[in-house]
Amino acid sequence: MTKQEKQQLSEIDICDLFITPALKAAGWSQLTQIRREYPISPGPIVVRGNLSSRNKKKSKRADYALLREAGIPLAIVEAKDNNHTVSHGLQQALGYAGILNVPSAFSSNGDAFASHNKVPAAGEDTESEFPLSDFPSPEELWRRYKQHRNIKDAEEELVLQPYHLDAYGKEPRYYQSEAINRTLEAIAKGQSRLLLVMATGTGKTYTTFQIIWRLWKAKKAKRTLFLVDRNILADQTLVNDFKPFGAVMTKIKNRKIDPAYEIYLGLYQAITGPAEEDKIFKNVSRDFFDLIVIDECHRGSAADDSAWREILEYFSSATQIGLTATPKETKYTSNITYFGKPVYTYKLKQGIEDGFLAPYKVVRYHLDKDLIGWTPPPGMLDDLGQKIEQRTYNQADMDRILVLNQRTKLVAKCVMELLRATDPFSKTIIFCEDIDHAERMRVAITNAAGRLALDNPKYVMRITGDSVEGKAELDNFIDPESKFPVIATTSELLTTGVDAKTCKLIVLDKTINSMTTFKQIVGRGTRIEEDFGKFFFTVMDFKNATELFKDPDFDGDPVVIYEPGPGDDPVPPDPPEPPEPPEPGPSGGSKKIHVSGVEVSILAKTVEYRGDDGRMVTESYRDYSRKHIRQEFASLDAFITTWNAAKKKEAIVKELEEYGIELPKLAEEVGKDYGDFDLICHIAYDQPPLTRKERADKVRKRDYFTKYGAKARAVLDALLDKYADEGILTIESPKVLKLTPFDKMGTPVEIINEAFGGKAAYESALQDLEHELFSQKASA
């Protein structure tokens, strides 16, 4: 093949004809080790207003990943067509290799390979080029990988233990693989206390399953205890992620540990308690479990909490893995002091930027009595006829000390207004100060919901620790297939661990001082559920809690505050300082003042979105689109030149969609009668727009059709009508000539040949028509 012929080939052709054969010749298996179009991340979701779309410009997909085994990538290869240099794709390959933490990156244009090796031998260059026939073997790249990750030969067997691959081909995401691989590498080195920090919604339980599966298959963990603090977590795990364990798995119940099993799911309350006879974990030997995994370990496993700590100390010979989204680091407790530094961390910010987690918008309400405060008139009595203490009550007092019934009604009204404007059946959690507040909020929502609550008695439910009826509905609330309950009012019960995948609205009418609690609450909304139209979530804030989004600690690295002194236990005996009270009872721990008839109003309302840099911005979908259109086309002239030069305008529309700019959604704001060209010019460059019909009429007035015969004029006139009705993409479609009224003129082939004399002439006429539609004369 000549160089000129090679330069006519597409990138896919280069892969098929040159790169893949070279990899196979080097010993790589096309079935198990060569992965084409290897997905890394899908790109973040952009949300503005009530609209959302994915910014595919920021998606990451490698042309090739070379695997040792499934879930263990060793190298990245980027391909380019032959009009590029050999090393043109190397920077891109290096970026992907960095994400996957692999030492080898390659680029090729079909002539040769360019290589970057992070672990060069003495005398070797970091970067080099070599012929297609010299690509490294799997053994060579595995050697580099082991050196890069400090894996010794004796550790290889455990590190290469196969993943569980299900019948549907589900594989771990890149960060899950990295968490799993790093955990096994650390265990292979003899580390027995490990911490995994992964944001809520990133699949901690699935990651845990793969860790346990591989250790179990390797016979390194013959018996494993997965310790949770919520019954529903054990039940979810049993039937979902851990299902492949089948008959060797059991849930500990009836206060008995049956030695006949190998995988145990345990609620810590079910295996221990304050009395000695409650501590059933002592009924088995100290070496009974080889592995203990503690879910939501920030909740007490590393604190001076005997319920957790006694279990871990009793089975101290077991390997112990702590899982959390929010490591607890306070004066009195420390996950890191107990478990060590995290072997892997995947943060909320990264999950949103990758596109695996849902972004959020924040609607903040500033209520007058919260901000300005409320001072009762002298001698005023509460609803029980008691004299009210003469002082100014503010936001911190609301629903903890002072209950203004009109305030509760206003919050409920705002919640229902938002739901009615979007989807009144969006799963919603309202976080309240205590159980009493949660019950009053349930009543207020029921009244504000009107017919919705009348027709559906379970439209809103209070789900709190003391409510048998509410807790009985928890499974239905978190089940994506179950419509009711829609709204849950709560105080503490739903802050953590409850996997409410389709939760679209989180309402904060609760004072939150703890960053851990705040992150856990936000985590209730971070899952993406495309099958149920869940791409983002909204946080309604009535207590200014979302100021914590601006705190550097919101997604920062945990810092150890407690450091044990000589002779100290890993966790000190001092009582922990609870950042949030346990779920307060109906009285809230103190007598509340109830006052009816005091009006409460909204002073201000702000809507903020997560910007490209992770900071909150007050940008609209229109502003976002303007910014990114100008990023693609620096000026109006640049855009018009590109538009007129494009044979298919669809290519430009698709290019903008890559940024998450969907023109039909912009048309909903600007006007549905405007075409794509005018929408772009108007929004990005402040040009006065013309409707599609106005553009079509201007072309007709210029008597543009006279150079064509009668049949061609009829076709072009009909195309103008189609443009006026439906837009540019319709008239560019190859199927347009099958539509009405063209179907009355003949078949597409007959129309093209008889009216225009052939396909080339038809396409030229269509280009002329588009030029007339979008010329400066048409805009004048």
Side-chain angles (χ1 to χ4, degrees):
M1 182 180 291
T2 66
K3 182 69 174 176
Q4 189 174 10
E5 289 172 328
K6 205 171 187 179
Q7 288 181 334
Q8 300 305 309
L9 298 176
S10 67
E11 184 179 297
I12 293 175
D13 293 332
I14 294 292
C15 291
D16 291 342
L17 297 174
F18 298 98
I19 299 176
T20 300
L23 298 177
K24 289 168 67 178
W28 293 89
S29 166
Q30 191 166 6
L31 290 177
T32 60
Q33 294 182 306
I34 301 174
R35 290 286 304 275
R36 292 275 293 269
E37 293 296 307
Y38 188 73
I40 297 174
S41 62
I45 290 169
V46 178
V47 53
R48 295 294 184 273
N50 295 319
L51 306 174
S52 67
S53 51
R54 197 178 283 282
N55 186 345
K56 295 176 184 174
K57 279 282 183 186
K58 293 189 176 182
S59 67
K60 297 180 177 69
R61 182 181 293 268
D63 290 328
Y64 289 85
L66 302 181
L67 313 180
R68 172 65 191 232
E69 311 280 351
I72 306 179
L74 302 183
I76 291 295
V77 182
E78 277 301 303
K80 298 298 173 185
D81 66 39
N82 201 249
N83 295 292
H84 294 87
T85 62
V86 173
S87 64
H88 189 83
L90 198 53
Q91 286 192 150
Q92 189 178 357
L94 270 171
Y96 297 153
I99 293 169
L100 300 181
N101 192 21
V102 299
S104 303
F106 302 93
S107 169
S108 179
N109 65 351
D111 288 341
F113 282 105
S115 166
H116 183 103
N117 177 7
K118 293 182 185 294
V119 286
E124 263 189 337
D125 289 332
T126 299
E127 293 200 355
S128 61
E129 291 188 9
F130 51 82
L132 293 175
S133 58
D134 288 353
F135 194 83
S137 67
E139 290 71 26
E140 167 58 21
L141 294 193
W142 171 241
R143 184 196 62 76
R144 286 190 201 173
Y145 181 88
K146 287 201 299 180
Q147 184 181 345
H148 177 65
R149 296 174 73 110
N150 192 28
I151 299 169
K152 304 292 188 286
D153 291 346
E155 299 158 9
E156 184 173 315
E157 182 181 355
L158 179 57
V159 170
L160 284 177
Q161 188 62 41
Y163 279 74
H164 176 272
L165 301 178
D166 67 17
Y168 302 101
K170 179 180 179 181
E171 290 186 56
R173 295 167 174 171
Y174 84 86
Y175 63 86
Q176 292 170 337
S177 288
E178 187 65 2
I180 296 160
N181 293 339
R182 286 202 194 184
T183 301
L184 263 72
E185 288 167 20
I187 291 172
K189 292 183 183 304
Q191 192 171 330
S192 61
R193 300 290 180 269
L194 305 99
L195 181 63
L196 277 178
V197 179
M198 295 173 68
T200 302
T202 55
K204 289 196 295 292
T205 309
Y206 174 72
T207 302
T208 302
F209 160 71
Q210 290 285 5
I211 291 169
I212 297 173
W213 176 271
R214 295 176 72 192
L215 290 170
W216 178 62
K217 283 291 187 180
K219 300 189 177 355
K220 296 292 184 183
K222 294 177 182 177
R223 287 201 190 98
T224 296
L225 172 63
F226 185 43
L227 197 58
V228 300
D229 71 338
R230 294 272 166 84
N231 205 40
I232 193 168
L233 296 178
D235 293 338
Q236 286 174 350
T237 302
L238 198 71
V239 299
N240 294 326
D241 289 321
F242 278 38
K243 191 176 181 180
F245 284 120
V248 304
M249 174 175 59
T250 187
K251 177 184 173 186
I252 298 172
K253 50 193 172 187
N254 301 324
R255 306 203 67 79
K256 181 183 178 185
I257 299 177
D258 186 340
Y261 295 90
E262 296 174 51
I263 310 295
Y264 296 80
L265 304 181
L267 189 69
Y268 83 88
Q269 298 95 324
I271 63 175
T272 190
E276 193 62 29
E277 61 267 22
D278 295 332
K279 304 180 193 302
I280 66 161
F281 64 88
K282 293 186 177 180
N283 295 340
V284 297
S285 64
R286 288 178 175 271
D287 60 357
F288 185 81
F289 293 112
D290 306 298
L291 175 66
I292 298 179
V293 181
I294 309 97
D295 193 33
E296 306 290 359
C297 68
H298 65 277
R299 291 178 65 84
S301 60
D304 182 34
D305 182 329
S306 60
W308 289 88
R309 197 170 168 212
E310 276 190 324
I311 299 169
L312 299 184
E313 287 180 348
Y314 185 80
F315 298 112
S316 60
S317 64
T319 298
Q320 297 176 6
I321 303 173
L323 302 174
T324 183
T326 52
K328 183 178 282 188
E329 301 301 324
T330 72
K331 182 178 176 182
Y332 302 100
T333 66
S334 171
N335 287 115
I336 291 175
T337 301
Y338 185 85
F339 290 107
K341 290 183 179 179
V343 292
Y344 186 70
T345 298
Y346 188 71
K347 297 179 182 179
L348 174 67
K349 179 182 178 183
Q350 190 62 54
I352 293 173
E353 288 175 358
D354 281 342
F356 293 119
L357 293 181
Y360 43 82
K361 75 172 183 177
V362 174
V363 184
R364 194 178 296 170
Y365 292 83
H366 307 278
L367 306 184
D368 60 346
K369 299 301 185 288
D370 289 29
L371 266 63
I372 299 171
W374 177 71
T375 306
M380 185 177 184
L381 305 179
D382 67 12
D383 291 353
L384 295 176
Q386 303 294 316
K387 192 173 180 180
I388 304 172
E389 181 186 353
Q390 188 72 21
R391 71 174 180 86
T392 299
Y393 297 85
N394 57 29
Q395 191 171 69
D397 300 313
M398 297 300 167
D399 291 295
R400 288 190 165 191
I401 295 171
L402 176 67
V403 174
L404 297 180
N405 292 332
Q406 293 302 318
R407 185 187 181 284
T408 310
K409 290 179 180 179
L410 178 60
V411 170
K413 178 187 173 189
C414 292
V415 171
M416 289 312 304
E417 281 178 350
L418 187 145
L419 286 174
R420 284 196 173 98
T422 52
D423 174 9
F425 292 98
S426 292
K427 293 290 176 103
T428 300
I429 305 175
I430 306 178
F431 288 96
C432 304
E433 294 289 0
D434 52 35
I435 290 172
D436 161 65
H437 185 199
E439 174 58 18
R440 288 185 291 102
M441 187 60 70
R442 183 196 65 78
V443 173
I445 290 287
T446 298
N447 291 330
R451 178 54 60 186
L452 286 164
L454 282 172
D455 291 345
N456 310 288
K458 292 182 179 178
Y459 181 77
V460 55
M461 297 285 292
R462 171 169 59 88
I463 302 179
T464 50
D466 72 322
S467 172
V468 175
E469 297 80 11
K471 285 196 291 185
E473 289 297 326
L474 186 53
D475 282 352
N476 288 327
F477 179 72
I478 66 176
D479 182 359
E481 302 286 350
S482 179
K483 193 171 186 179
F484 301 103
V486 174
I487 302 173
T489 67
T490 191
S491 60
E492 296 287 333
L493 190 63
L494 301 182
T495 55
T496 184
V498 175
D499 195 2
K501 295 179 180 179
T502 54
C503 178
K504 291 184 178 180
L505 177 60
I506 293 171
V507 181
L508 302 177
D509 198 19
K510 175 184 179 70
T511 303
I512 302 172
N513 298 315
S514 160
M515 182 62 77
T516 297
T517 300
F518 180 66
K519 288 170 76 170
Q520 289 289 335
I521 285 175
V522 169
R524 299 313 99 212
T526 53
R527 286 167 176 81
I528 292 172
E529 284 293 313
E530 297 194 21
D531 292 344
F532 294 89
K534 160 76 184 299
F535 296 95
F536 70 95
F537 66 104
T538 301
V539 181
M540 290 181 77
D541 181 14
F542 294 90
K543 288 287 180 80
N544 211 31
T546 52
E547 278 294 304
L548 288 169
F549 278 130
K550 299 174 183 176
D551 192 313
D553 288 340
F554 174 67
D555 211 35
D557 293 319
V559 177
V560 177
I561 297 171
Y562 165 72
E563 292 192 11
D568 280 0
D569 289 336
V571 182
D574 309 302
E577 207 170 47
E580 298 294 331
E583 187 154 33
S587 68
S590 62
K591 186 178 178 182
K592 295 183 181 180
I593 304 162
H594 288 252
V595 182
S596 300
V598 175
E599 288 299 318
V600 180
S601 61
I602 300 170
L603 283 180
K605 172 184 168 185
T606 58
V607 181
E608 295 181 318
Y609 307 93
R610 193 179 184 281
D612 292 342
D613 59 358
R615 297 180 181 179
M616 301 306 292
V617 297
T618 56
E619 181 181 61
S620 68
Y621 190 69
R622 185 171 177 155
D623 293 337
Y624 172 86
S625 300
R626 177 189 179 95
K627 180 172 70 179
H628 285 85
I629 291 169
R630 287 189 164 209
Q631 188 174 316
E632 188 71 16
F633 310 105
S635 66
L636 175 63
D637 286 344
F639 166 68
I640 292 175
T641 300
T642 306
W643 180 271
N644 287 333
K647 287 187 176 180
K648 289 279 190 181
K649 309 301 186 263
E650 183 183 21
I652 295 174
V653 173
K654 293 289 185 189
E655 184 74 14
L656 295 180
E657 285 178 1
E658 291 285 299
Y659 284 104
I661 300 168
E662 297 182 30
L663 295 175
K665 292 181 179 178
L666 281 175
E668 291 176 16
E669 279 194 38
V670 180
K672 294 187 178 181
D673 293 331
Y674 298 112
D676 296 338
F677 177 83
D678 285 277
L679 281 172
I680 294 168
C681 290
H682 177 60
I683 283 169
Y685 309 105
D686 303 315
Q687 297 299 298
L690 295 176
T691 65
R692 294 189 301 270
K693 186 176 184 306
E694 286 170 338
R695 284 199 174 273
D697 288 345
K698 281 179 177 284
V699 172
R700 286 195 176 96
K701 287 176 184 175
R702 290 199 298 274
D703 213 15
Y704 151 74
F705 296 134
T706 52
K707 63 180 180 179
Y708 294 99
K711 282 189 176 180
R713 286 200 300 270
V715 172
L716 293 171
D717 194 58
L719 284 170
L720 270 180
D721 286 337
K722 276 291 179 197
Y723 170 77
D725 291 340
E726 300 178 33
I728 190 68
L729 299 189
T730 296
I731 69 170
E732 284 189 344
S733 168
K735 297 178 181 178
V736 68
L737 297 182
K738 295 180 180 179
L739 304 177
T740 305
F742 304 104
D743 55 351
K744 306 288 192 301
M745 302 179 185
T747 67
V749 172
E750 289 170 346
I751 294 171
I752 289 171
N753 289 335
E754 294 175 11
F756 297 94
K759 185 178 180 181
Y762 168 72
E763 289 179 347
S764 176
L766 185 59
Q767 288 286 308
D768 284 348
L769 177 61
E770 290 185 0
H771 178 75
E772 289 295 320
L773 275 168
F774 305 117
S775 71
Q776 295 297 82
K777 290 181 291 183
S779 300

